[in-house]
PDB file of all heavy atoms in Angstrom:
ATOM      1  N   ARG B 289       9.678 -18.009 -62.920  1.00  0.00           N
ATOM      2  CA  ARG B 289       8.288 -18.163 -63.331  1.00  0.00           C
ATOM      3  C   ARG B 289       7.452 -18.864 -62.272  1.00  0.00           C
ATOM      4  O   ARG B 289       6.243 -18.713 -62.225  1.00  0.00           O
ATOM      5  CB  ARG B 289       8.230 -18.968 -64.618  1.00  0.00           C
ATOM      6  CG  ARG B 289       8.768 -18.175 -65.766  1.00  0.00           C
ATOM      7  CD  ARG B 289       8.664 -18.950 -67.052  1.00  0.00           C
ATOM      8  NE  ARG B 289       8.248 -18.071 -68.120  1.00  0.00           N
ATOM      9  CZ  ARG B 289       7.532 -18.483 -69.158  1.00  0.00           C
ATOM     10  NH1 ARG B 289       7.185 -19.736 -69.245  1.00  0.00           N
ATOM     11  NH2 ARG B 289       7.198 -17.633 -70.085  1.00  0.00           N
ATOM     12  N   VAL B 290       8.170 -19.638 -61.440  1.00  0.00           N
ATOM     13  CA  VAL B 290       7.441 -20.346 -60.385  1.00  0.00           C
ATOM     14  C   VAL B 290       6.732 -19.352 -59.478  1.00  0.00           C
ATOM     15  O   VAL B 290       5.620 -19.604 -59.000  1.00  0.00           O
ATOM     16  CB  VAL B 290       8.426 -21.213 -59.577  1.00  0.00           C
ATOM     17  CG1 VAL B 290       7.770 -21.773 -58.354  1.00  0.00           C
ATOM     18  CG2 VAL B 290       8.959 -22.308 -60.460  1.00  0.00           C
ATOM     19  N   PHE B 291       7.380 -18.230 -59.296  1.00  0.00           N
ATOM     20  CA  PHE B 291       6.780 -17.277 -58.373  1.00  0.00           C
ATOM     21  C   PHE B 291       5.486 -16.699 -58.886  1.00  0.00           C
ATOM     22  O   PHE B 291       4.756 -16.066 -58.129  1.00  0.00           O
ATOM     23  CB  PHE B 291       7.777 -16.155 -58.085  1.00  0.00           C
ATOM     24  CG  PHE B 291       8.851 -16.599 -57.133  1.00  0.00           C
ATOM     25  CD1 PHE B 291      10.079 -17.020 -57.610  1.00  0.00           C
ATOM     26  CD2 PHE B 291       8.621 -16.634 -55.769  1.00  0.00           C
ATOM     27  CE1 PHE B 291      11.057 -17.451 -56.733  1.00  0.00           C
ATOM     28  CE2 PHE B 291       9.594 -17.064 -54.906  1.00  0.00           C
ATOM     29  CZ  PHE B 291      10.817 -17.469 -55.371  1.00  0.00           C
ATOM     30  N   ARG B 292       5.212 -16.913 -60.168  1.00  0.00           N
ATOM     31  CA  ARG B 292       3.952 -16.389 -60.649  1.00  0.00           C
ATOM     32  C   ARG B 292       2.757 -17.043 -59.962  1.00  0.00           C
ATOM     33  O   ARG B 292       1.664 -16.498 -59.946  1.00  0.00           O
ATOM     34  CB  ARG B 292       3.837 -16.579 -62.164  1.00  0.00           C
ATOM     35  CG  ARG B 292       4.799 -15.703 -62.925  1.00  0.00           C
ATOM     36  CD  ARG B 292       4.522 -15.748 -64.391  1.00  0.00           C
ATOM     37  NE  ARG B 292       4.617 -17.097 -64.906  1.00  0.00           N
ATOM     38  CZ  ARG B 292       4.341 -17.419 -66.148  1.00  0.00           C
ATOM     39  NH1 ARG B 292       3.950 -16.489 -67.002  1.00  0.00           N
ATOM     40  NH2 ARG B 292       4.426 -18.673 -66.556  1.00  0.00           N
ATOM     41  N   VAL B 293       3.002 -18.213 -59.387  1.00  0.00           N
ATOM     42  CA  VAL B 293       1.881 -18.895 -58.745  1.00  0.00           C
ATOM     43  C   VAL B 293       1.416 -18.136 -57.502  1.00  0.00           C
ATOM     44  O   VAL B 293       0.301 -18.320 -57.027  1.00  0.00           O
ATOM     45  CB  VAL B 293       2.287 -20.347 -58.386  1.00  0.00           C
ATOM     46  CG1 VAL B 293       3.152 -20.364 -57.132  1.00  0.00           C
ATOM     47  CG2 VAL B 293       1.068 -21.200 -58.188  1.00  0.00           C
ATOM     48  N   PHE B 294       2.277 -17.236 -57.032  1.00  0.00           N
ATOM     49  CA  PHE B 294       1.854 -16.473 -55.862  1.00  0.00           C
ATOM     50  C   PHE B 294       0.684 -15.566 -56.172  1.00  0.00           C
ATOM     51  O   PHE B 294       0.056 -15.038 -55.255  1.00  0.00           O
ATOM     52  CB  PHE B 294       3.028 -15.653 -55.335  1.00  0.00           C
ATOM     53  CG  PHE B 294       3.894 -16.441 -54.390  1.00  0.00           C
ATOM     54  CD1 PHE B 294       4.906 -17.259 -54.894  1.00  0.00           C
ATOM     55  CD2 PHE B 294       3.675 -16.402 -53.039  1.00  0.00           C
ATOM     56  CE1 PHE B 294       5.688 -18.001 -54.028  1.00  0.00           C
ATOM     57  CE2 PHE B 294       4.463 -17.148 -52.175  1.00  0.00           C
ATOM     58  CZ  PHE B 294       5.465 -17.949 -52.671  1.00  0.00           C
ATOM     59  N   ARG B 295       0.421 -15.392 -57.454  1.00  0.00           N
ATOM     60  CA  ARG B 295      -0.733 -14.546 -57.762  1.00  0.00           C
ATOM     61  C   ARG B 295      -2.006 -15.107 -57.189  1.00  0.00           C
ATOM     62  O   ARG B 295      -2.956 -14.375 -56.926  1.00  0.00           O
ATOM     63  CB  ARG B 295      -0.885 -14.402 -59.272  1.00  0.00           C
ATOM     64  CG  ARG B 295       0.195 -13.541 -59.846  1.00  0.00           C
ATOM     65  CD  ARG B 295       0.092 -13.414 -61.327  1.00  0.00           C
ATOM     66  NE  ARG B 295       1.345 -12.883 -61.862  1.00  0.00           N
ATOM     67  CZ  ARG B 295       1.678 -12.902 -63.128  1.00  0.00           C
ATOM     68  NH1 ARG B 295       0.874 -13.449 -64.011  1.00  0.00           N
ATOM     69  NH2 ARG B 295       2.813 -12.394 -63.517  1.00  0.00           N
ATOM     70  N   ILE B 296      -1.997 -16.387 -56.961  1.00  0.00           N
ATOM     71  CA  ILE B 296      -3.235 -16.962 -56.432  1.00  0.00           C
ATOM     72  C   ILE B 296      -3.498 -16.491 -55.009  1.00  0.00           C
ATOM     73  O   ILE B 296      -4.657 -16.433 -54.559  1.00  0.00           O
ATOM     74  CB  ILE B 296      -3.166 -18.508 -56.519  1.00  0.00           C
ATOM     75  CG1 ILE B 296      -4.586 -19.066 -56.619  1.00  0.00           C
ATOM     76  CG2 ILE B 296      -2.478 -19.105 -55.318  1.00  0.00           C
ATOM     77  CD1 ILE B 296      -4.609 -20.523 -56.969  1.00  0.00           C
TER      78      ILE B 296
END
Side-chain angles (χ1 to χ4, degrees):
Chain B
R289 290 182 139 210
V290 171
F291 284 97
R292 291 189 301 176
V293 78
F294 274 85
R295 289 178 195 166
I296 207 169

